Amino acid sequence: MAREADARVEVLSERSEFSQVFAEPDGRITYESTVVPKRVHRSDGTWADVDYTLQRSDGQLRPVASYADVRFSTGGNGPLVTMTESGKDFTLGWSGGALPAPQVSGDTATYVDVLPGVDLLVRATDMGFSHILRVKTASAAADSALARITFDVGGDARLWRSPTGSLQAIAGNVLLASAPGTCQGIEASGS
């Protein structure tokens, strides 16, 4: 087909979230690969380009098209984040009480003033999610409550801390999320 069309033709049966194979007009085969997912294989068999724009779905916020099955809270007392990998759930909850309804912009949900002068931001990423606290004032930075923030871990996961300080959320043999020991927050990613 590539010779007849005098153009490269994708070998669709070889497509994955991370790679594509092309037949070239001169008979060569080209393999292209990325380190992050570029497309998502949907349950109906179609492919979609990744799109981390958050949308409401079943009472949660989800990316439009994401490699990771990740969902964010729309406010209230439930989990801040739920991530599913191989049928196992990892949840991360805000232990500071009910979350306000988030402001959503693109791939980010912002929970304003979870503490006085402090916003909680959760963002859909290539392989899962990240979260940070945005401290907006000097008085908020001086508040001792900021030093005592904890997150509740739940679902099927158990936490394991390596000697380097990194964290892993594991369910059976499935790595659900990980955070390097040098980070200030958790970046979760599916395996």
Side-chain angles (χ1 to χ4, degrees):
M1 287 177 59
R3 276 195 185 112
E4 288 177 17
D6 195 30
R8 71 185 340 204
V9 174
E10 183 179 0
V11 182
L12 293 174
S13 63
E14 298 298 317
R15 181 186 282 183
S16 79
E17 288 85 352
F18 298 87
S19 64
Q20 290 178 282
V21 175
F22 296 92
E24 302 292 343
D26 63 4
R28 291 179 299 123
I29 300 292
T30 302
Y31 175 80
E32 296 178 358
S33 178
T34 62
V35 295
V36 296
K38 293 294 183 186
R39 64 200 65 77
V40 176
H41 196 213
R42 294 183 170 167
S43 59
D44 67 0
T46 62
W47 289 92
D49 291 339
V50 293
D51 181 352
Y52 303 121
T53 304
L54 297 177
Q55 64 181 3
R56 290 185 185 271
S57 174
D58 298 326
Q60 297 177 314
L61 296 170
R62 290 178 172 259
V64 170
S66 174
Y67 178 74
D69 182 0
V70 63
R71 300 166 308 280
F72 302 149
S73 172
T74 56
N77 288 313
L80 168 65
V81 177
T82 302
M83 193 164 143
T84 303
E85 174 73 27
S86 301
K88 304 289 185 183
D89 286 333
F90 165 72
T91 62
L92 191 67
W94 174 250
S95 61
L99 288 166
Q103 297 175 357
V104 178
S105 178
D107 62 3
T108 303
T110 301
Y111 304 87
V112 177
D113 289 330
V114 293
L115 294 173
V118 179
D119 297 341
L120 173 60
L121 287 77
V122 182
R123 184 172 78 73
T125 64
D126 293 324
M127 300 296 289
F129 72 95
S130 66
H131 69 279
I132 62 167
L133 293 168
R134 177 172 53 203
V135 181
K136 301 182 285 187
T137 66
S139 62
D143 187 344
S144 63
L146 198 56
R148 295 187 309 273
I149 291 176
T150 60
F151 289 89
D152 300 321
V153 174
D156 302 307
R158 63 176 174 76
L159 284 182
W160 178 78
R161 182 182 298 275
S162 78
T164 64
S166 67
L167 290 174
Q168 293 183 337
I170 301 170
N173 294 330
V174 178
L175 174 64
L176 299 171
S178 64
T182 58
C183 77
Q184 297 299 315
I186 292 178
E187 170 126 358
S189 59
S191 56

